[in-house]
Amino acid sequence: MPYKEREIKKLYYTIGEVAEMFNVSTSHIRFWEKEFDILQPKKNKKGNRLFSPEDIENLKIIYHLVKEKGYTLQGAKDYLRGNKNIEADKQQVIESLSNLKSFLLKLGDELKGS
């Protein structure tokens, strides 16, 4: 059986890594942290923010609502109060479909090459 690489996931991400993931500035992430109660990054002894995978998932939801759907910050907060679980499920489906699409595109490229 051939070796299959596992995707390595980190326990915590720095604010710089998170800002790069979402293509926004670090101040943007800090601002959202103050505005949204669902973001609770841990801080080390130096005061550096460490974002868990759960925080990243919450940021994906916030980013989707604010940047992609055009919600105001207050509108996104109000929406999340009642619909966080629904939006989290939608986000998982979107991510799964995106992964499937990239796999199929890669497979198509490999088939064309042979």
Side-chain angles (χ1 to χ4, degrees), residues 21-93:
M21 282 181 209
F22 292 96
N23 198 25
V24 296
S25 65
T26 55
S27 61
H28 210 107
I29 301 294
R30 284 192 297 272
F31 178 71
W32 281 351
E33 176 193 347
K34 290 177 187 170
E35 291 294 317
F36 292 92
D37 298 340
I38 62 172
L39 293 178
Q40 298 294 321
K42 300 204 179 323
K43 293 187 181 177
N44 64 12
K45 290 181 181 181
K46 288 176 143 182
N48 297 337
R49 291 165 176 80
L50 299 172
F51 292 85
S52 68
E54 182 182 344
D55 290 323
I56 301 298
E57 292 303 315
N58 288 332
L59 274 166
K60 285 179 184 177
I61 293 169
I62 293 168
Y63 183 88
H64 176 71
L65 291 174
V66 175
K67 294 288 188 181
E68 295 171 353
K69 282 194 159 185
Y71 278 64
T72 63
L73 291 179
Q74 188 59 47
K77 286 184 215 176
D78 293 342
Y79 181 82
L80 285 174
R81 272 195 203 101
N83 301 311
K84 182 183 180 290
N85 292 336
I86 293 169
E87 199 59 38
D89 290 342
K90 284 182 188 177
Q91 201 63 36
Q92 285 181 334
V93 169

Side-chain angles (χ1 to χ4, degrees), residues 98-111:
S98 178
N99 290 338
L100 179 62
K101 178 183 177 184
S102 63
F103 170 76
L104 291 173
L105 289 172
K106 183 179 176 185
L107 183 62
D109 289 343
E110 288 177 8
L111 290 173

Side-chain angles (χ1 to χ4, degrees), residues 5-18:
E5 286 188 41
R6 289 189 326 171
E7 185 178 320
I8 299 173
K9 294 190 178 183
K10 296 172 75 173
L11 294 177
Y12 293 101
Y13 298 87
T14 65
I15 193 166
E17 291 171 323
V18 173

